[in-house]
Amino acid sequence: MCVVHGHGGDFAGELARRLAARGWQTVLLTSAPIPVVEGTDVFHADPADPESLDLALEEIRRAYGRLSAYVEITARPESGAADMLSHASKAQLKSTFLAAKSLKPLLTDPDLPRAWHVTVDRFDGKLGLAGSGSSARRTGGGISGLAKTLGQEWPSVFCRNLDLHPDFNLEEAVDIVIAEIFDPDSSLAEVGRHPEGRFTIAAVEESHA
C-alpha cells in the first residue's frame, strides 16, 4: 500500500490515480486542499505536528494494512533571499523530517520484500547545478541530504529524492515520478530530471600527477 503525501495542488492526486491504475492500493495524505480523486481516500494531518502524523499513519495502517511505499510531493518553492530559508521552506523541511521519523518503523519492517521512500521537488531539475542559490534550493539540499541519510540508515528501503524541472507539465511529471519509483537501480539517492535529460551526481577521482 502506498501513501502519497501532497501539499496542495493536483500533482499528488494525479500520481495517486495513476498508481492505483497500476494496481496499487493508494491513499492521499494532506494538510492542504487537494482535488478529489475518485476511488482514493484522503487523510489529513498537520505536517508540523509529529503526533498528528503518527495518528494519521496509524489510521491508514488500520484501514489498509501494511504500508510499503511513501511518496511526498513537496510544496512549490518560494523565491527568497539566498542568505536565509523562508518560513515556508523551513516548514517544508520540518515536515519531511518528521514524516521520515514517523515512517521508520513502518517502512523498515523486515517482512516487507521492498519498501520505498521517495520525495519529489520541483527546483531546477539539475540538483542545484544550474546555479541557483535561492532558499528553495537550500530546502532541496536538506531534503536530498535526508534521502542520502535514510539510504544509509534504512538499507532495505529504496530512498530517493527527485528534482523535477518546473517546465514539465503534469502528465510528464507524473510519468517521470513513476519511472523513478520503479527504477531497479537503488544506489542513486538523488536524481534530477530536466528537459535536457537525467542528471545524477557521481564521485570522480582526481589525479594529482
Side-chain angles (χ1 to χ4, degrees):
M1 188 271 292
C2 178
V3 171
V4 179
H5 188 179
H7 294 266
D10 52 6
F11 194 165
E14 179 61 16
L15 177 61
R17 186 189 70 78
R18 294 276 297 279
L19 288 172
R22 294 174 66 101
W24 280 68
Q25 174 67 63
T26 58
V27 299
L28 281 166
L29 178 64
T30 184
S31 60
I34 198 164
V36 174
V37 179
E38 186 175 351
T40 301
D41 288 340
V42 178
F43 293 79
H44 296 272
D46 179 353
D49 180 358
E51 183 177 356
S52 176
L53 282 167
D54 287 341
L55 289 173
L57 290 170
E58 176 58 22
E59 186 178 0
I60 291 169
R61 189 195 63 78
R62 288 199 306 267
Y64 295 98
R66 194 161 52 187
L67 190 159
S68 60
Y70 173 85
V71 183
E72 180 170 0
I73 310 298
T74 64
R76 282 277 189 168
E78 294 182 345
S79 58
D83 61 343
M84 64 183 296
L85 286 171
S86 69
H87 175 75
S89 296
K90 290 179 181 178
Q92 178 69 77
L93 278 173
K94 182 178 180 180
S95 167
T96 305
F97 276 74
L98 288 176
K101 182 178 179 180
S102 297
L103 288 159
K104 179 180 179 179
L106 304 176
L107 294 181
T108 58
D109 183 341
D111 291 332
L112 287 176
R114 191 189 194 200
W116 286 261
H117 182 283
V118 177
T119 49
V120 182
D121 302 321
R122 301 201 74 173
F123 296 127
D124 60 18
K126 292 186 177 182
L127 305 172
L129 300 179
S132 170
S134 68
S135 76
R137 184 58 246 164
R138 293 187 182 202
T139 307
I143 294 173
S144 66
L146 175 64
K148 294 174 187 176
T149 300
L150 295 183
Q152 294 293 320
E153 295 182 354
W154 302 354
S156 64
V157 181
F158 177 97
C159 298
R160 180 166 297 177
N161 176 242
L162 177 60
D163 174 18
L164 296 181
H165 191 276
D167 282 354
F168 289 119
N169 63 35
L170 180 61
E171 182 176 354
E172 292 170 333
V174 171
D175 283 343
I176 290 169
V177 173
I178 290 175
E180 293 293 338
I181 288 174
F182 295 103
D183 180 11
D185 183 0
S186 60
S187 67
L188 298 174
E190 52 183 341
V191 172
R193 296 294 292 266
H194 189 278
E196 296 176 2
R198 187 172 187 257
F199 292 81
T200 61
I201 296 176
V204 177
E205 185 174 349
E206 185 176 343
S207 173
H208 296 284

